[in-house]
Amino acid sequence: MKNSLARYGAFLFSATAARAAGILITSLTFPYLVRVLGVKTYGLWSYVVAVCAVLDLIADPGITTFITRHVAAHRLEATDLLADYFVLRACGAGLGVVVVLAVAHWEPRTDVALLLRLFGIGLLFVNLVSADHFLTALESFHVRSLLSVVQQIFYAAVIFLTVRHPSDVVWIPVAILGSSLLAAIAGWIMLFRLGLAVRLKLRPARWRQILVPSFHYAGSSLMSNVYHRSGHVLVRWFLGDYALGLYAAATRLVDLLCGFITTIIHVLMPRLALDSHSLPVLKRTTRQVLAATAAVAIPISFGLFATADRLVPWVLGASFLPAVALVKWLSPYVVTASAASLWAGTVLYALGRHRAYFAATIGGAISGIVFYLVLIPAFGLTGAGVAFVLAELVVATIAFAMLPRELHDLWRNPMIGAALASAAFMAIFVRVASVYLVPLPWLICGGVLIYVATCGWYARKWFSRHLRPA
């Protein structure tokens, strides 16, 4: 037990450090881009990203998701499927190119059509050769973390050297695709050294074994993109390009913050996949993952709400001041998205319950579309933000209901109550300190210290019981 805690603690430290470095780099590139591109151009670029993310599902209908779990559960024994995996993915990529060209052909704006062709086709190829999912499945988090930081540095360098005007938006996909390709090449070199081998032996008879669960995962990914990305399309449709820019920047900001929580979840996914053969062991691991998730997600949500009026102009610039209220409405997303990622994207996924995973995301997609169509015309950007949050809440609720009965008491976790009480105390401190115009970096540091001290006091019994060396 002690060695396991040390091992996964090292993994978590490595992944979190890489994520922190990525956030630091993004904290430079993201504000720079929104300032240089302006509200409308940044909104259009986000629209291109949203469309390409949906179209990429045609090229990869859940096949990578299936293989990742298979390798995580069986490790190097699963390499006999890799040749079939690459053949199926290549066929999907070819079909994806055709669809991207068709969508770009019908796009009325020539600049958006160019971005769709450049980024859409490039993304299909880069995702085909990506090594990230295999590094994760084999728990090579140190290697993946290093590659992630190098990729972010390369991306930032290209952005700062080339993007000086809204017309330079074409360099953004070049930076993303170029840095991703270099990381993929380095990743495969490391995988080969770890013993992962692609045996050039095709077995078409096994393609059904791959495709049936993959289509369920593809449907889940499609539904996830529907409730996560359709807001961009519908905001542009109902409210115009300027509102789209505000919405895209605000949702990107909360997504970046949510990345801290998903790092914890992704690090422990392979462990959950291995533990899925024993429900008692899985329950113990999931309880610890839930505690860590609650301890990070809840204070970030409270802190975002408490500091939005100062954080938004500080990060995005004065032109995005109209997005302050939207960011406040979006702050619960950090909690709802983390819960959805944990229950649907991690626990159900680790258990191999692809139908339950699919059902949860279908519920999110249907409710999300309904929320968007009702709330955006009625409440504008505020309605879009509320719909964004509620769609994730529906996914989390359905996924939790479909867990094995033995896991249904996991919500009785004392860390949830400790995190809520400590985060509320922290938010009160931040609001009071804001009245005295304390500089934002000091305000954030003070809030973090207050939360850690208060949460540690509340949760000291839980820590002593669950983290005592065996």
Side-chain angles (χ1 to χ4, degrees):
M1 179 66 178
K2 185 176 180 180
N3 291 335
S4 179
L5 283 174
R7 182 187 182 199
Y8 284 93
F11 286 158
L12 186 57
F13 175 80
S14 175
T16 304
R19 183 63 188 174
I23 292 291
L24 177 62
I25 296 170
T26 304
S27 68
L28 300 176
T29 56
F30 175 51
Y32 178 79
L33 284 176
V34 296
R35 284 173 166 85
V36 172
L37 297 181
V39 176
K40 288 188 177 181
T41 304
Y42 183 79
L44 290 173
W45 164 243
S46 299
Y47 170 79
V48 170
V49 173
V51 172
C52 289
V54 175
L55 294 178
D56 185 59
L57 288 172
I58 298 172
D60 183 12
I63 300 173
T64 299
T65 307
F66 169 79
I67 290 293
T68 301
R69 185 201 174 274
H70 196 67
V71 174
H74 303 284
R75 304 302 160 100
L76 296 178
E77 298 173 7
T79 57
D80 59 334
L81 291 178
L82 292 185
D84 301 293
Y85 160 77
F86 281 112
V87 169
L88 293 172
R89 286 283 284 106
C91 293
L95 179 60
V97 169
V98 175
V99 176
V100 168
L101 292 175
V103 172
H105 175 76
W106 291 105
E107 170 58 46
R109 292 189 54 150
T110 56
D111 53 345
V112 176
L114 173 63
L115 289 172
L116 282 169
R117 285 191 290 267
L118 176 61
F119 187 61
I121 295 175
L123 188 66
L124 294 174
F125 175 74
V126 167
N127 285 345
L128 174 62
V129 300
S130 174
D132 278 358
H133 38 279
F134 293 116
L135 289 171
T136 297
L138 294 177
E139 296 187 336
S140 297
F141 294 109
H142 300 315
V143 174
R144 187 182 178 189
S145 297
L146 177 61
L147 292 178
S148 174
V149 173
V150 173
Q151 177 185 350
Q152 288 279 355
I153 293 173
F154 183 86
Y155 162 77
V158 175
I159 291 297
F160 288 128
L161 289 173
T162 58
V163 181
R164 303 295 177 85
H165 188 270
S167 61
D168 296 328
V169 66
V170 70
W171 284 102
I172 301 178
V174 173
I176 294 173
L177 298 173
S179 60
S180 299
L181 182 59
L182 291 176
I185 294 172
W188 277 105
I189 292 174
M190 296 306 300
L191 284 171
F192 290 144
R193 290 183 176 181
L194 289 172
L196 189 72
V198 181
R199 300 183 179 90
L200 300 178
K201 184 177 181 180
L202 296 179
R203 300 178 182 177
R206 302 185 66 175
W207 289 2
R208 187 176 186 277
Q209 172 190 346
I210 298 174
L211 291 175
V212 170
S214 294
F215 285 145
H216 285 85
Y217 290 131
S220 301
S221 298
L222 176 60
M223 296 300 104
S224 177
N225 274 281
V226 166
Y227 64 75
H228 192 76
R229 305 281 188 178
S230 58
H232 291 74
V233 178
L234 294 175
V235 167
R236 186 188 184 194
W237 182 13
F238 283 115
L239 305 177
D241 290 342
Y242 180 77
L244 171 62
L246 297 175
Y247 176 81
T251 53
R252 176 61 175 156
L253 178 61
V254 295
D255 263 334
L256 287 174
L257 294 174
C258 197
F260 282 111
I261 299 97
T262 55
T263 297
I264 298 172
I265 296 172
H266 290 164
V267 166
L268 295 170
M269 184 281 294
R271 180 77 251 175
L272 290 172
L274 279 177
D275 291 347
S276 62
H277 305 295
S278 170
L279 276 179
V281 177
L282 177 66
K283 184 176 182 178
R284 183 177 67 247
T285 306
T286 305
R287 183 184 293 112
Q288 295 171 356
V289 178
L290 174 60
T293 302
V296 180
I298 293 174
I300 290 179
S301 178
F302 276 67
L304 181 61
F305 181 86
T307 62
D309 52 345
R310 297 181 62 184
L311 184 68
V312 170
W314 187 59
V315 174
L316 305 180
S319 60
F320 284 87
L321 271 173
V324 169
L326 175 61
V327 169
K328 289 185 176 182
W329 283 105
L330 286 170
S331 58
Y333 169 83
V334 179
V335 175
T336 60
S338 299
S341 180
L342 175 60
W343 301 129
T346 305
V347 179
L348 287 178
Y349 174 57
L351 287 168
R353 299 196 173 193
H354 47 269
R355 292 182 179 86
Y357 183 15
F358 187 28
T361 53
I362 287 177
I366 294 174
S367 61
I369 291 294
V370 172
F371 289 143
Y372 283 124
L373 291 175
V374 172
L375 297 178
I376 292 177
F379 301 102
L381 280 177
T382 298
V386 173
F388 192 67
V389 173
L390 291 179
E392 294 283 0
L393 178 61
V394 171
V395 175
T397 302
I398 296 175
F400 185 81
M402 302 187 77
L403 292 175
R405 185 175 301 175
E406 293 84 352
L407 303 181
H408 281 178
D409 62 344
L410 285 172
W411 66 272
R412 298 173 182 170
N413 195 306
M415 273 302 301
I416 297 176
L420 283 170
S422 303
F425 187 72
M426 175 197 71
I428 294 172
F429 163 81
V430 168
R431 295 305 298 172
V432 172
S434 295
V435 175
Y436 296 96
L437 300 179
V438 177
L440 186 60
W442 290 105
L443 190 64
I444 294 173
C445 291
V448 171
L449 291 176
I450 291 290
Y451 172 77
V452 171
T454 309
C455 190
W457 184 83
Y458 273 114
R460 62 193 185 283
K461 292 183 179 179
W462 186 91
F463 281 118
S464 64
R465 183 168 63 251
H466 289 275
L467 298 184
R468 185 189 298 119

